Amino acid sequence: MALYVDSADRSAVEPLLATGLFTGVTTNPSLLARAGKTQEDLPAVFAWATAAGAQQVFMQTLGTTTTEIVTCGRRIRDLGPQAVVKIPASREGLAAARVLTDENVPILVTAVHHATQALLAQAAGAQFIAPYVGRMTDRGREGVAQTVLMQRLLSGASTRVLAASLRSGDDVAALAAAGVPDFALSAPLCEALLSDDLTIAAAAEFEAIGASWS
């Protein structure tokens, strides 16, 4: 199992990586924009994330044609061995993924909204797929159920499910129990998982008892 911080905000990501609980960082153009960055900032994001301990940094391509996506993917991969190229599950994107996997570039097919796209990503040789769990549910598809189906379809395959667009710890637990191995979690969700109110109260109680002994 691997947990990734889904953010390009250095101030949010670095403390989470410092816990040693998160394998790396996932980004996309929306997350870059939220952090006040653009595609041109990817080398800098890659540099600080790997310096902070990220074993993998997922960065997304731009481009509307297969050729443009392939060119962008090669630039991302050239940043270093920890770079994983994210490509949307469009017709052009899947074709680009096939080209890049043939060059041994690690690929995550992202923005997956239906279980059949998992099969296409596998056919493209992708190392990962990223189902958008919450967004599927928002659009009338049961995101958790679709993602569980993807996991079943890919059972025993080399393509791993990296669940994204997660809204709650309950969804994370349900998917993990169904065998989903990898998760991209927003920084607020990471913090929420690390700060359960009942655990904090129990720990405070133990400390109060300990203080009474001194």
Side-chain angles (χ1 to χ4, degrees):
M1 185 191 74
L3 303 174
Y4 299 90
V5 185
D6 197 31
S7 174
D9 182 345
R10 184 174 185 175
S11 64
V13 171
E14 285 186 332
L16 291 166
L17 290 176
T19 67
L21 302 175
F22 300 92
T23 299
V25 177
T26 56
T27 69
N28 62 37
S30 296
L31 293 172
L32 287 171
R34 263 182 242 162
K37 304 183 187 306
T38 70
Q39 199 80 353
E40 298 302 315
D41 295 302
L42 284 181
V45 172
F46 179 80
W48 63 250
T50 52
Q55 298 172 37
Q56 291 174 303
V57 182
F58 293 74
M59 295 165 285
Q60 191 162 318
T61 57
L62 292 177
T64 58
T65 69
T66 296
T67 299
E68 290 171 347
I69 296 167
V70 167
T71 299
C72 187
R74 288 172 177 154
R75 284 200 300 267
I76 289 171
R77 182 56 178 169
D78 286 344
L79 292 175
Q82 302 95 330
V84 181
V85 178
K86 294 179 66 175
I87 301 177
S90 64
R91 181 190 187 99
E92 296 78 13
L94 289 163
R98 180 71 271 175
V99 172
L100 290 168
T101 57
D102 286 343
E103 298 175 3
N104 296 316
V105 175
I107 297 296
L108 178 147
V109 171
T110 191
V112 172
H113 285 79
H114 195 277
T116 54
Q117 292 175 310
L119 301 178
L120 294 170
Q122 183 186 11
Q127 186 174 347
F128 301 92
I129 63 164
Y132 279 8
V133 181
R135 290 194 185 188
M136 280 189 277
T137 300
D138 291 345
R139 287 156 177 78
R141 297 177 182 173
E142 177 45 59
V144 170
Q146 278 286 328
T147 304
V148 170
L149 181 55
M150 292 178 207
Q151 179 61 33
R152 289 173 55 197
L153 289 171
L154 295 174
S155 178
S158 58
T159 304
R160 293 169 66 96
V161 176
L162 195 164
S165 181
L166 292 152
R167 306 286 169 74
S168 70
D170 289 341
D171 285 350
V172 175
L175 290 170
V180 173
D182 302 322
F183 296 88
L185 309 174
S186 68
L189 182 53
C190 292
E191 294 291 352
L193 296 181
L194 290 168
S195 305
D196 185 275
D197 289 343
L198 297 179
T199 299
I200 291 170
E205 180 182 345
F206 298 149
E207 288 300 318
I209 292 170
S212 71
W213 295 342
S214 51

